[in-house]
Coordinates of all heavy atoms in Angstrom, one line a residue:
M1390 N 110.8 155.0 172.0 CA 109.7 154.1 171.7 C 108.8 154.7 170.6 O 108.5 155.9 170.7 CB 108.9 153.8 172.9 CG 107.7 152.9 172.7 SD 106.7 152.6 174.2 CE 107.8 151.5 175.1
T1391 N 108.5 153.9 169.6 CA 107.7 154.4 168.5 C 106.2 154.4 168.9 O 105.8 153.8 169.8 CB 107.9 153.6 167.2 OG1 107.4 152.3 167.4 CG2 109.3 153.5 166.8
I1392 N 105.4 155.1 168.1 CA 104.0 155.1 168.3 C 103.4 153.7 168.2 O 102.6 153.3 169.0 CB 103.3 156.1 167.3 CG1 103.6 157.5 167.7 CG2 101.8 155.9 167.3 CD1 103.2 158.5 166.7
A1393 N 103.9 152.9 167.2 CA 103.4 151.6 167.0 C 103.7 150.7 168.2 O 102.9 149.9 168.7 CB 104.0 150.9 165.8
E1394 N 104.9 150.9 168.8 CA 105.3 150.1 170.0 C 104.4 150.5 171.2 O 104.0 149.6 172.0 CB 106.8 150.4 170.3 CG 107.7 149.8 169.4 CD 109.2 150.2 169.6 OE1 109.4 151.3 170.1 OE2 110.1 149.5 169.1
M1395 N 104.0 151.8 171.3 CA 103.1 152.2 172.4 C 101.8 151.6 172.2 O 101.1 151.1 173.2 CB 103.0 153.7 172.4 CG 104.2 154.5 172.8 SD 103.9 156.2 172.7 CE 105.5 156.9 172.8
I1396 N 101.3 151.5 170.9 CA 100.0 150.9 170.7 C 100.0 149.4 171.0 O 99.1 148.9 171.6 CB 99.6 151.2 169.2 CG1 99.3 152.7 169.0 CG2 98.3 150.3 168.8 CD1 99.2 153.1 167.5
V1397 N 101.1 148.7 170.6 CA 101.2 147.3 170.8 C 101.2 147.1 172.3 O 100.6 146.1 172.9 CB 102.4 146.7 170.2 CG1 102.7 145.3 170.7 CG2 102.3 146.7 168.7
R1398 N 101.9 147.9 173.1 CA 102.0 147.8 174.5 C 100.6 147.9 175.2 O 100.2 147.1 176.0 CB 102.9 148.8 175.1 CG 103.1 148.7 176.6 CD 104.0 149.8 177.2 NE 103.4 151.1 177.0 CZ 104.0 152.2 177.1 NH1 105.3 152.3 177.3 NH2 103.3 153.3 176.9
E1399 N 99.8 148.9 174.7 CA 98.5 149.1 175.2 C 97.6 147.9 174.8 O 96.8 147.4 175.7 CB 97.9 150.4 174.7 CG 98.4 151.6 175.3 CD 98.2 151.7 176.8 OE1 97.1 151.3 177.3 OE2 99.1 152.1 177.5
I1400 N 97.7 147.4 173.6 CA 96.9 146.2 173.2 C 97.2 145.0 174.1 O 96.3 144.3 174.6 CB 97.2 145.9 171.7 CG1 96.6 146.9 170.8 CG2 96.6 144.5 171.4 CD1 97.0 146.8 169.4
D1401 N 98.5 144.8 174.3 CA 98.9 143.6 175.2 C 98.5 143.8 176.6 O 98.0 142.9 177.3 CB 100.4 143.5 175.1 CG 100.9 143.0 173.8 OD1 100.1 142.5 173.0 OD2 102.1 143.1 173.5
K1402 N 98.6 145.0 177.1 CA 98.3 145.3 178.5 C 96.8 145.1 178.8 O 96.4 144.6 179.8 CB 98.6 146.8 178.8 CG 98.4 147.2 180.3 CD 99.1 148.5 180.6 CE 98.3 149.7 180.1 NZ 98.8 151.0 180.5
R1403 N 96.0 145.4 177.8 CA 94.5 145.3 177.9 C 94.0 143.9 177.5 O 92.8 143.7 177.7 CB 93.8 146.4 177.2 CG 94.2 147.8 177.7 CD 93.9 148.9 176.7 NE 94.4 150.2 177.2 CZ 93.7 151.1 177.8 NH1 92.4 150.8 178.2 NH2 94.2 152.2 178.2
G1404 N 94.8 143.1 176.9 CA 94.4 141.8 176.5 C 93.6 141.8 175.2 O 92.8 140.8 175.0
Y1405 N 93.7 142.9 174.4 CA 92.9 142.9 173.2 C 93.6 142.1 172.1 O 94.8 141.8 172.2 CB 92.8 144.4 172.7 CG 91.9 145.3 173.6 CD1 92.2 146.6 173.6 CD2 91.0 144.8 174.5 CE1 91.4 147.5 174.5 CE2 90.2 145.6 175.3 CZ 90.5 147.0 175.3 OH 89.7 147.8 176.1
K1406 N 92.9 141.9 171.0 CA 93.4 141.2 169.8 C 93.5 142.3 168.7 O 92.6 143.2 168.7 CB 92.5 140.1 169.3 CG 92.3 139.0 170.4 CD 93.5 138.2 170.5 CE 93.3 137.0 171.4 NZ 94.4 136.4 171.9
N1407 N 94.5 142.2 167.9 CA 94.6 143.1 166.8 C 93.4 143.2 165.9 O 93.0 144.3 165.5 CB 95.9 142.8 165.9 CG 97.2 143.1 166.6 OD1 97.2 143.7 167.6 ND2 98.2 142.8 165.9
K1408 N 92.8 142.1 165.7 CA 91.6 142.0 164.8 C 90.5 142.9 165.5 O 89.8 143.7 164.7 CB 91.1 140.6 164.7 CG 89.8 140.5 163.8 CD 89.4 139.1 163.7 CE 88.1 139.0 162.8 NZ 87.7 137.6 162.6
W1409 N 90.3 142.8 166.8 CA 89.2 143.6 167.4 C 89.5 145.1 167.3 O 88.7 145.9 167.0 CB 89.0 143.1 168.9 CG 88.0 143.9 169.6 CD1 86.6 143.6 169.5 CD2 88.1 145.0 170.4 NE1 85.9 144.5 170.3 CE2 86.8 145.4 170.8 CE3 89.2 145.8 170.8 CZ2 86.6 146.5 171.7 CZ3 89.0 146.9 171.6 CH2 87.7 147.2 172.1
V1410 N 90.8 145.4 167.6 CA 91.2 146.9 167.6 C 91.0 147.4 166.2 O 90.4 148.5 166.0 CB 92.6 147.0 168.1 CG1 93.1 148.5 167.9 CG2 92.8 146.6 169.5
A1411 N 91.4 146.6 165.2 CA 91.3 147.1 163.8 C 89.8 147.3 163.4 O 89.5 148.4 162.8 CB 91.9 146.0 162.8
E1412 N 88.9 146.4 163.9 CA 87.5 146.6 163.6 C 87.0 147.9 164.3 O 86.2 148.6 163.7 CB 86.7 145.4 164.1 CG 86.9 144.1 163.3 CD 86.3 142.9 164.0 OE1 85.8 143.0 165.1 OE2 86.3 141.8 163.3
Q1413 N 87.4 148.1 165.5 CA 87.0 149.3 166.2 C 87.5 150.6 165.6 O 86.8 151.6 165.6 CB 87.4 149.3 167.7 CG 86.9 148.1 168.4 CD 85.4 147.9 168.4 OE1 84.7 148.8 168.7 NE2 85.0 146.7 167.9
V1414 N 88.7 150.6 165.0 CA 89.3 151.7 164.4 C 88.7 151.9 163.0 O 88.8 153.0 162.4 CB 90.8 151.6 164.4 CG1 91.5 152.7 163.6 CG2 91.3 151.6 165.8
G1415 N 88.2 150.9 162.4 CA 87.5 151.0 161.1 C 88.5 150.6 159.9 O 88.3 151.1 158.8
I1416 N 89.5 149.8 160.2 CA 90.4 149.3 159.1 C 90.5 147.8 159.1 O 90.1 147.2 160.1 CB 91.8 150.0 159.2 CG1 92.4 149.7 160.6 CG2 91.7 151.5 159.0 CD1 93.8 150.3 160.7
K1417 N 90.9 147.3 158.0 CA 91.1 145.8 158.0 C 92.2 145.3 158.9 O 93.2 146.1 159.1 CB 91.4 145.4 156.5 CG 90.3 145.7 155.6 CD 90.6 145.3 154.2 CE 89.5 145.6 153.2 NZ 89.9 145.3 151.8
E1418 N 92.1 144.1 159.3 CA 93.1 143.6 160.2 C 94.5 143.5 159.6 O 95.5 143.9 160.2 CB 92.7 142.1 160.7 CG 93.7 141.5 161.6 CD 93.4 140.1 162.0 OE1 92.4 139.5 161.4 OE2 94.1 139.5 162.9
V1419 N 94.6 143.2 158.3 CA 95.9 143.1 157.6 C 96.5 144.5 157.5 O 97.7 144.7 157.7 CB 95.7 142.5 156.2 CG1 97.0 142.6 155.4 CG2 95.2 141.0 156.3
T1420 N 95.6 145.5 157.2 CA 96.1 146.9 157.1 C 96.6 147.4 158.5 O 97.6 148.0 158.6 CB 94.9 147.8 156.6 OG1 94.5 147.3 155.4 CG2 95.4 149.2 156.5
F1421 N 95.9 147.0 159.5 CA 96.3 147.4 160.9 C 97.6 146.8 161.2 O 98.5 147.5 161.7 CB 95.2 147.0 161.9 CG 95.5 147.4 163.3 CD1 95.5 148.8 163.7 CD2 95.8 146.5 164.3 CE1 95.8 149.2 165.0 CE2 96.1 146.9 165.6 CZ 96.1 148.2 165.9
S1422 N 97.8 145.5 160.9 CA 99.1 144.8 161.2 C 100.2 145.5 160.4 O 101.3 145.7 161.0 CB 99.0 143.4 160.8 OG 98.1 142.7 161.7
L1423 N 100.0 145.9 159.2 CA 101.0 146.6 158.4 C 101.3 147.9 159.0 O 102.5 148.3 159.0 CB 100.6 146.7 156.9 CG 100.6 145.4 156.1 CD1 100.0 145.6 154.7 CD2 102.1 144.9 156.0
K1424 N 100.3 148.6 159.4 CA 100.5 149.9 160.0 C 101.4 149.8 161.3 O 102.2 150.6 161.6 CB 99.2 150.6 160.3 CG 98.5 151.1 159.1 CD 97.2 151.8 159.4 CE 96.5 152.4 158.2 NZ 97.2 153.6 157.7
L1425 N 101.1 148.7 162.1 CA 101.9 148.5 163.3 C 103.4 148.2 162.9 O 104.3 148.7 163.5 CB 101.4 147.3 164.1 CG 100.1 147.6 164.9 CD1 99.6 146.3 165.5 CD2 100.4 148.7 166.0
K1426 N 103.5 147.4 161.8 CA 104.9 147.0 161.4 C 105.7 148.2 160.9 O 106.9 148.3 161.1 CB 104.8 145.9 160.3 CG 106.1 145.4 159.9 CD 105.9 144.2 158.8 CE 107.3 143.7 158.4 NZ 107.1 142.7 157.4
K1427 N 105.0 149.0 160.1 CA 105.7 150.2 159.4 C 105.6 151.4 160.3 O 106.2 152.4 159.9 CB 105.0 150.4 158.1 CG 105.1 149.2 157.1 CD 106.0 149.5 156.0 CE 106.0 148.3 155.1 NZ 107.2 148.2 154.4
D1428 N 104.8 151.4 161.4 CA 104.6 152.6 162.2 C 104.1 153.7 161.4 O 104.6 154.9 161.5 CB 105.9 153.0 162.9 CG 105.7 153.9 164.1 OD1 104.7 153.9 164.7 OD2 106.6 154.7 164.3
R1429 N 103.0 153.5 160.7 CA 102.4 154.5 159.8 C 100.9 154.6 160.1 O 100.1 153.9 159.6 CB 102.5 154.1 158.4 CG 103.9 154.0 157.9 CD 104.5 155.3 157.6 NE 105.9 155.1 157.1 CZ 106.6 156.1 156.7 NH1 106.1 157.3 156.8 NH2 107.8 155.9 156.3
F1430 N 100.5 155.5 161.0 CA 99.1 155.8 161.3 C 98.8 157.2 160.9 O 99.6 158.1 161.1 CB 98.9 155.6 162.8 CG 98.9 154.1 163.2 CD1 100.1 153.6 163.6 CD2 97.8 153.3 163.1 CE1 100.2 152.2 164.0 CE2 97.8 152.0 163.5 CZ 99.0 151.4 163.9
T1431 N 97.6 157.4 160.5 CA 97.1 158.8 160.2 C 96.7 159.4 161.5 O 96.5 158.7 162.5 CB 95.9 158.8 159.3 OG1 94.8 158.1 159.9 CG2 96.2 158.1 157.9
A1432 N 96.6 160.7 161.5 CA 96.1 161.4 162.7 C 94.7 160.9 163.2 O 94.5 160.7 164.3 CB 96.1 162.9 162.5
A1433 N 93.9 160.7 162.2 CA 92.5 160.3 162.5 C 92.5 158.9 163.2 O 91.8 158.6 164.1 CB 91.6 160.2 161.2
E1434 N 93.4 158.0 162.7 CA 93.5 156.7 163.2 C 94.0 156.7 164.7 O 93.5 156.0 165.6 CB 94.4 155.8 162.4 CG 93.8 155.4 161.1 CD 94.8 154.9 160.1 OE1 96.0 155.0 160.2 OE2 94.3 154.3 159.1
L1435 N 95.0 157.6 164.9 CA 95.5 157.8 166.2 C 94.5 158.3 167.2 O 94.4 157.9 168.4 CB 96.8 158.7 166.2 CG 98.0 158.1 165.6 CD1 99.1 159.1 165.5 CD2 98.5 156.8 166.3
V1436 N 93.7 159.2 166.7 CA 92.6 159.8 167.6 C 91.6 158.7 167.9 O 91.2 158.5 169.1 CB 91.9 161.0 166.9 CG1 90.6 161.3 167.6 CG2 92.8 162.2 166.8
R1437 N 91.2 157.8 166.9 CA 90.3 156.7 167.2 C 90.9 155.7 168.2 O 90.2 155.2 169.1 CB 89.9 156.1 165.9 CG 88.9 157.0 165.1 CD 88.3 156.2 163.9 NE 89.2 155.7 163.0 CZ 89.5 156.3 161.8 NH1 88.9 157.4 161.5 NH2 90.3 155.7 160.9
I1438 N 92.2 155.4 168.0 CA 92.8 154.5 168.9 C 92.9 155.1 170.3 O 92.7 154.4 171.3 CB 94.3 154.1 168.4 CG1 94.1 153.3 167.2 CG2 95.1 153.4 169.5 CD1 95.4 153.1 166.4
G1439 N 93.2 156.4 170.4 CA 93.3 157.1 171.7 C 91.9 157.0 172.4 O 91.9 156.8 173.6
I1440 N 90.9 157.3 171.7 CA 89.5 157.2 172.3 C 89.2 155.8 172.7 O 88.7 155.6 173.8 CB 88.5 157.8 171.3 CG1 88.7 159.3 171.1 CG2 87.1 157.5 171.7 CD1 87.9 159.9 169.9
L1441 N 89.5 154.8 171.8 CA 89.2 153.4 172.2 C 89.9 153.0 173.4 O 89.3 152.3 174.3 CB 89.7 152.6 171.0 CG 89.5 151.0 171.1 CD1 88.0 150.7 171.2 CD2 90.2 150.3 170.0
F1442 N 91.2 153.4 173.6 CA 91.9 153.0 174.8 C 91.8 154.0 175.9 O 92.5 153.8 177.0 CB 93.4 152.8 174.4 CG 93.7 151.7 173.5 CD1 94.9 151.7 172.8 CD2 92.8 150.6 173.3 CE1 95.2 150.6 171.9 CE2 93.1 149.6 172.5 CZ 94.3 149.6 171.8
D1443 N 91.1 155.1 175.7 CA 91.0 156.2 176.7 C 92.4 156.7 177.1 O 92.7 156.8 178.3 CB 90.2 155.7 177.9 CG 89.8 156.8 178.8 OD1 89.6 158.0 178.3 OD2 89.7 156.6 180.1
L1444 N 93.1 157.0 176.1 CA 94.5 157.5 176.3 C 94.6 159.0 176.1 O 93.9 159.6 175.3 CB 95.4 156.9 175.2 CG 95.6 155.4 175.3 CD1 96.5 154.9 174.1 CD2 96.2 154.9 176.6
D1445 N 95.5 159.6 176.8 CA 95.9 161.0 176.5 C 96.8 161.0 175.3 O 97.9 160.4 175.4 CB 96.5 161.6 177.8 CG 97.0 163.0 177.6 OD1 96.8 163.6 176.5 OD2 97.5 163.6 178.6
L1446 N 96.5 161.6 174.2 CA 97.3 161.6 173.0 C 98.6 162.3 173.2 O 99.5 162.1 172.4 CB 96.5 162.2 171.9 CG 95.3 161.4 171.4 CD1 94.6 162.1 170.2 CD2 95.6 160.0 171.1
N1447 N 98.8 163.0 174.3 CA 100.1 163.6 174.6 C 101.1 162.6 174.9 O 102.3 162.9 174.8 CB 100.0 164.6 175.8 CG 99.3 165.9 175.4 OD1 99.6 166.5 174.3 ND2 98.4 166.3 176.2
M1448 N 100.7 161.4 175.2 CA 101.7 160.3 175.4 C 102.5 160.0 174.2 O 103.6 159.5 174.3 CB 101.0 159.0 175.9 CG 100.3 158.2 174.9 SD 99.5 156.7 175.5 CE 100.9 155.6 175.3
F1449 N 102.0 160.4 173.0 CA 102.7 160.1 171.7 C 103.7 161.2 171.5 O 104.6 161.0 170.6 CB 101.7 160.1 170.6 CG 100.8 158.9 170.6 CD1 99.4 159.1 170.4 CD2 101.2 157.6 170.9 CE1 98.5 158.0 170.5 CE2 100.3 156.6 170.9 CZ 99.0 156.8 170.7
K1450 N 103.7 162.3 172.2 CA 104.7 163.3 172.0 C 106.1 162.8 172.4 O 106.2 162.1 173.4 CB 104.4 164.5 172.9 CG 103.4 165.4 172.5 CD 103.3 166.6 173.4 CE 102.3 167.6 172.9 NZ 102.2 168.8 173.8
G1451 N 107.1 163.1 171.6 CA 108.4 162.7 171.9 C 108.7 161.3 171.5 O 109.8 160.8 171.8
S1452 N 107.8 160.6 170.8 CA 108.1 159.3 170.3 C 109.2 159.4 169.3 O 109.4 160.4 168.6 CB 106.9 158.6 169.7 OG 106.6 159.1 168.5
A1453 N 110.0 158.3 169.1 CA 111.1 158.3 168.1 C 110.6 158.7 166.7 O 111.3 159.5 166.0 CB 111.8 157.0 168.1
T1454 N 109.5 158.3 166.3 CA 108.9 158.6 165.0 C 108.7 160.1 164.8 O 109.1 160.6 163.9 CB 107.6 157.8 164.8 OG1 107.9 156.4 164.9 CG2 107.1 158.0 163.4
L1455 N 108.0 160.7 165.8 CA 107.7 162.1 165.7 C 109.0 162.9 165.7 O 109.1 163.9 165.0 CB 106.8 162.5 166.8 CG 105.4 161.9 166.8 CD1 104.6 162.4 168.0 CD2 104.7 162.4 165.5
E1456 N 110.0 162.6 166.6 CA 111.2 163.3 166.7 C 111.9 163.3 165.4 O 112.5 164.3 164.9 CB 112.1 162.8 167.8 CG 111.5 163.1 169.2 CD 112.3 162.4 170.3 OE1 113.2 161.7 170.0 OE2 111.9 162.6 171.4
N1457 N 111.9 162.1 164.7 CA 112.7 162.0 163.4 C 112.0 162.8 162.3 O 112.7 163.1 161.3 CB 112.8 160.5 163.0 CG 113.7 159.8 164.0 OD1 114.5 160.3 164.6 ND2 113.5 158.5 164.0
E1458 N 110.7 163.1 162.4 CA 110.0 163.7 161.3 C 110.1 165.3 161.4 O 109.8 166.0 160.5 CB 108.6 163.3 161.2 CG 108.4 161.9 160.8 CD 107.0 161.4 160.7 OE1 106.1 162.2 161.1 OE2 106.7 160.3 160.4
E1459 N 110.6 165.8 162.5 CA 110.6 167.3 162.7 C 111.8 167.8 161.9 O 112.8 167.3 161.6 CB 110.8 167.6 164.1 CG 109.5 167.3 164.9 CD 109.6 167.6 166.4 OE1 110.7 167.9 166.8 OE2 108.5 167.6 167.0

């Protein structure tokens, strides 16, 4: 599972809208949607998303994206 898929799962589970999450993270909705599509988030964005969702960022360890970049 990619990081973007994990984020989408959390958004759906919590009933949030992409627009609201993007606003909370401090990026435009279109940019956020593209980041989800391309699975391209900065470390700072992941930290903000983790704080927003009250997630343990260790959940991102072992995602397909991270494994492929090592």
Side-chain angles (χ1 to χ4, degrees):
M1390 179 178 287
T1391 67
I1392 290 174
E1394 289 169 338
M1395 291 179 194
I1396 293 169
V1397 168
R1398 184 182 65 195
E1399 286 297 320
I1400 290 170
D1401 291 344
K1402 183 168 80 172
R1403 296 163 189 265
Y1405 295 154
K1406 301 287 184 197
N1407 284 357
K1408 180 179 181 177
W1409 183 83
V1410 175
E1412 289 171 355
Q1413 301 306 306
V1414 175
I1416 58 179
K1417 295 178 183 178
E1418 181 182 7
V1419 172
T1420 303
F1421 183 69
S1422 293
L1423 286 172
K1424 287 177 175 286
L1425 286 173
K1426 183 177 180 181
K1427 302 248 183 211
D1428 195 31
R1429 300 278 182 181
F1430 289 91
T1431 66
E1434 291 164 345
L1435 291 175
V1436 168
R1437 289 193 298 262
I1438 290 168
I1440 291 168
L1441 178 65
F1442 292 159
D1443 192 29
L1444 297 174
D1445 178 358
L1446 295 181
N1447 286 315
M1448 73 177 275
F1449 296 131
K1450 281 185 177 179
S1452 76
T1454 301
L1455 292 176
E1456 289 172 359
N1457 290 338
E1458 290 180 359
E1459 291 181 350

